């Protein structure tokens, strides 16, 4: 990995601070670097403004002249009543170079951001960065496919159960795994459970980590019926295309909702928390339409495995 790729990966890690508070705008990260030293950093602020580039350039001031600006997403080129375009801010600041890790599919900017910066005499280039694309997964899916990025979470025993035969399910996993789940909730715009889970467990679905309580996501339930106050109804997995402003959806249970999203081909990422217990109870996943075992192979790639206390987390991405 060359230096430019490393700085873009660092900007992508920084962008995580914007998620999900930057909605409806994408969470972008920016770094200003000169002589191997970070001059300033920025990420998209709450409500979408100011943008990451504006924050970094504002902090650097005149020192931005001659530096390299690393940005996870192509700087915007369109005017807004909320402020000038980032491309224009960059032109005025005159860094020596701009390196971006992901082109913007928004037709108002696509290619125009880089073109405007180059026209102002600033070297600007696109360097494909998987880290930047991953950090913008929800925004890119929303722009290109009209739907949010979907993570399906399953907390399972070794024998693949989510509850005892009696229905008792608190708790399959330990405190460390549950804390990790709450951190994932805090990164999501919306969280969803099935109607059966709502009726049986009355889950709170909030974030209960100190300092992150305000990041509790919108609560949704997969149902065609009425929902309690404070909840939103989703009639089908395909209806996620109508979830306005939602870039990241976290599907947390139960077996029926999990199967419905898998059957619809609308799961982008799996989080499987596995506890070292045998339950012999209710399976974590219902029938999702496979007709042959061969259809189950080749669908998922393992991207991470880690221990969380006595439990194990496995993260898979859809191929």
């Amino acid at each position: 990995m060359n230096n430019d790729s490393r700085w873009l990966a660092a900007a992508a890690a920084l962008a995580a601070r914007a998620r999900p508070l930057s909605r409806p705008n994408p969470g972008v990260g920016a770094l200003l670097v000169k002589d191997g030293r970070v001059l300033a950093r920025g990420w998209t602020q709450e409500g979408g403004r100011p943008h990451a580039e504006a924050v970094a350039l504002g902090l650097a001031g005149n020192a931005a002249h001659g530096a390299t600006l690393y940005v996870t997403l192509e700087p915007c080129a369109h005017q807004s009543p909320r402020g000038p375009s980032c491309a224009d801010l960059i032109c005025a600041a005159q860094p020596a170079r701009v390196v971006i890790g992901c082109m913007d599919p928004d037709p108002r900017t696509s290619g125009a951001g880089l073109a405007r910066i180059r026209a102002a005499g600033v070297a600007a280039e696109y360097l494909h960065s998987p880290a930047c694309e991953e950090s913008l997964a929800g925004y890119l899916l929303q722009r290109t496919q009209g739907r949010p990025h979907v993570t399906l979470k399953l907390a399972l025993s070794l024998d693949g159960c989510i509850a005892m035969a009696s229905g008792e399910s608190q708790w399959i996993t330990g405190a460390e795994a549950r804390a990790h789940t709450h951190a994932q909730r805090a990164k999501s715009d919306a969280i969803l459970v099935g109607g059966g889970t709502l009726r049986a467990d009355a889950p709170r679905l909030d974030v209960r980590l100190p300092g992150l309580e305000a990041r509790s996501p919108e609560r949704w339930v997969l149902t065609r019926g009425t929902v309690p106050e404070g909840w939103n109804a989703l009639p089908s997995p395909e209806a996620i295309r109508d979830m306005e402003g939602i870039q990241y959806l976290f599907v947390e249970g139960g077996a029926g909702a999990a199967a419905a999203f898998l059957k619809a081909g609308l799961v982008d990422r799996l989080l499987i928390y596995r506890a070292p217990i045998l339950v012999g109870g209710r399976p974590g996943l219902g029938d999702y339409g496979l007709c042959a075992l061969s259809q189950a192979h080749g669908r998922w790639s393992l991207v991470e495995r880690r221990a969380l206390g006595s439990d194990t987390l496995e993260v898979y991405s859809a191929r």
Side-chain angles (χ1 to χ4, degrees):
M1 182 183 291
N2 62 30
N3 285 336
D4 285 342
S5 296
R6 291 190 181 95
W7 285 120
L8 284 173
L14 186 66
R17 301 189 186 190
R19 178 178 159 190
L21 299 180
S22 66
R23 60 180 293 204
N25 287 5
V28 176
L31 291 172
L32 266 169
V33 179
K34 182 182 285 187
D35 300 326
R37 183 172 65 89
V38 175
L39 300 180
R41 52 180 60 84
W43 57 91
T44 313
Q45 296 299 292
E46 185 171 355
R49 288 280 181 165
H51 290 180
E53 303 95 313
V55 174
L57 291 170
L59 290 172
N62 292 334
H65 185 77
T68 298
L69 176 64
Y70 294 94
V71 191
T72 57
L73 182 67
E74 181 182 11
C76 65
H78 58 277
Q79 295 298 319
S80 166
R82 302 176 67 188
S85 74
C86 290
D88 288 338
L89 290 175
I90 292 168
C91 293
Q94 285 290 296
R97 297 174 67 220
V98 176
V99 183
I100 67 168
C102 187
M103 297 296 289
D104 193 344
D106 186 334
R108 298 174 299 176
T109 287
S110 185
L114 282 185
R116 188 175 303 172
I117 294 167
R118 289 168 178 158
V122 177
E125 61 186 285
Y126 159 64
L127 177 63
H128 175 245
S129 169
C132 291
E133 287 187 349
E134 176 64 25
S135 75
L136 291 158
Y139 171 73
L140 296 175
L141 272 173
Q142 193 64 260
R143 282 289 178 183
T144 59
Q145 297 186 30
R147 69 168 180 89
H149 180 275
V150 178
T151 294
L152 172 61
K153 171 251 181 177
L154 296 170
L156 305 170
S157 61
L158 290 178
D159 52 343
C161 295
I162 57 172
M164 300 282 289
S166 65
E168 181 186 353
S169 61
Q170 296 183 354
W171 298 101
I172 292 287
T173 54
E176 293 89 344
R178 296 199 301 275
H180 188 273
T181 297
H182 281 259
Q184 297 301 304
R185 289 178 179 180
K187 296 179 180 179
S188 304
D189 299 308
I191 186 169
L192 177 141
V193 295
T197 297
L198 176 62
R199 292 187 292 272
D201 299 338
R204 290 163 57 183
L205 302 186
D206 56 356
V207 176
R208 297 190 290 277
L209 294 177
L212 293 179
E213 295 90 348
R215 297 203 184 194
S216 295
E218 292 182 10
R219 296 183 298 177
W220 289 71
V221 57
L222 186 64
T223 182
R224 289 184 171 87
T226 59
V227 296
E229 184 178 355
W231 289 75
N232 304 278
L234 189 76
S236 69
E238 291 80 4
I240 61 173
R241 291 177 172 84
D242 300 322
M243 298 176 76
E244 186 175 352
I246 303 299
Q247 294 182 25
Y248 294 94
L249 174 63
F250 195 60
V251 178
E252 194 159 323
F261 273 84
L262 287 167
K263 186 174 183 178
L266 291 172
V267 176
D268 303 294
R269 180 168 168 260
L270 289 172
L271 291 181
I272 299 180
Y273 301 87
R274 206 179 302 276
I277 59 175
L278 294 169
V279 173
R282 298 183 180 181
L285 184 62
D287 176 19
Y288 69 99
L290 292 182
C291 298
L293 187 59
S294 60
Q295 294 177 321
H297 292 282
R299 292 192 170 199
W300 304 97
S301 298
L302 178 67
V303 295
E304 182 183 354
R305 179 185 285 122
R306 71 164 85 171
L308 294 170
S310 61
D311 303 321
T312 301
L313 167 66
E314 295 170 339
V315 183
Y316 294 86
S317 63
R319 289 183 174 177

